[in-house]
Amino acid sequence: TNYWLIYQVIAGTLLVIFLLATRTYFISRYNRRLTDKNTQLEALRRQLEQTNTELEFLSTHDPLTKLYNRHYFNRQFVHEHRSETASESSICLVMLDIDFFKEINDTLGHAVGDNILMELSTVLQHCVRESDVVARWGGEEFVILCHQTSITLVNSLCQRIAAAIKDYRFSGDVRLTCSFGIAKLASNEPMQSCFERADKALYQAKALGRNQICIDESNA
């Protein structure tokens, strides 16, 4: 028997097994690292998507009330509005302002004032239709855009909002009232012009003693 040849065969076999085992080990290690990297990349991708979603929300919503903000309203309905849209549907605008809000902040503090703004936002969202758009215009002022409606229906909406505000228990036990200005978008009228008429009606409501609903009749 040629033992030397047997030893060589055994040694060669062991070497091949060692090399294969080493190769398998490094491949397995590489695959684990690759899997870990893919997991990290997937987590970063989800985090990036979440961050982008949050940034998009912050750019279009008021951080306090979570309603749409002035930037969104201007971009969506004022600056990018096309006159032909007015002929396709009846659109009305409501400008809403909290009466004597500065006195609430001065006497009860801004924390109570912020709570009242959030509570009023909830009331507004409960009163409007799903198709209506509610935005915080700034400070204590809000705007509501109503599609497929009329001055009569929007006036009824404002009355429901006023009644809901009267029945709501606001922070600090404040008896809140609001003033309303309403305007209807005329055919081929720029949205900015309708907004200015609604704003003028709002100031008329405040001049009449507040807690009023005034309608701009020029295009009613």
Side-chain angles (χ1 to χ4, degrees), residues 71-197:
H71 168 73
Y72 172 86
F73 189 89
N74 277 329
R75 185 185 67 185
Q76 199 74 10
F77 301 108
V78 178
H79 301 318
E80 296 185 5
H81 178 74
R82 299 294 179 264
S83 59
E84 59 266 20
T85 306
S87 61
E88 295 173 1
S89 62
S90 299
I91 296 176
C92 288
L93 278 178
V94 178
M95 292 297 299
L96 163 67
D97 188 87
I98 301 176
D99 297 329
F100 304 110
F101 187 69
K102 184 178 184 301
E103 293 182 9
I104 296 174
N105 277 334
D106 291 343
T107 56
L108 300 178
H110 289 277
V112 173
D114 287 347
N115 287 335
I116 289 175
L117 289 172
M118 291 187 287
E119 291 160 357
L120 177 60
S121 301
T122 301
V123 172
L124 295 178
Q125 289 176 306
H126 285 167
C127 290
V128 301
R129 302 171 302 172
E130 187 175 346
S131 59
D132 297 335
V133 178
V134 184
R136 184 184 178 192
W137 191 248
E140 66 273 22
E141 201 168 41
F142 298 81
V143 59
I144 305 173
L145 185 142
C146 305
H147 292 277
Q148 299 291 349
T149 190
S150 65
I151 287 290
T152 301
L153 291 176
V154 173
N155 187 31
S156 297
L157 168 65
C158 293
Q159 292 176 5
R160 290 199 307 274
I161 293 173
I165 291 172
K166 181 179 179 181
D167 294 337
Y168 193 94
R169 290 184 60 86
F170 287 92
S171 294
D173 202 27
V174 172
R175 300 303 298 263
L176 202 68
T177 62
C178 292
S179 301
F180 299 82
I182 304 173
K184 181 180 179 181
L185 183 68
S187 179
N188 298 320
E189 179 187 17
M191 182 66 76
Q192 181 63 37
S193 174
C194 182
F195 179 87
E196 291 171 357
R197 291 191 292 108

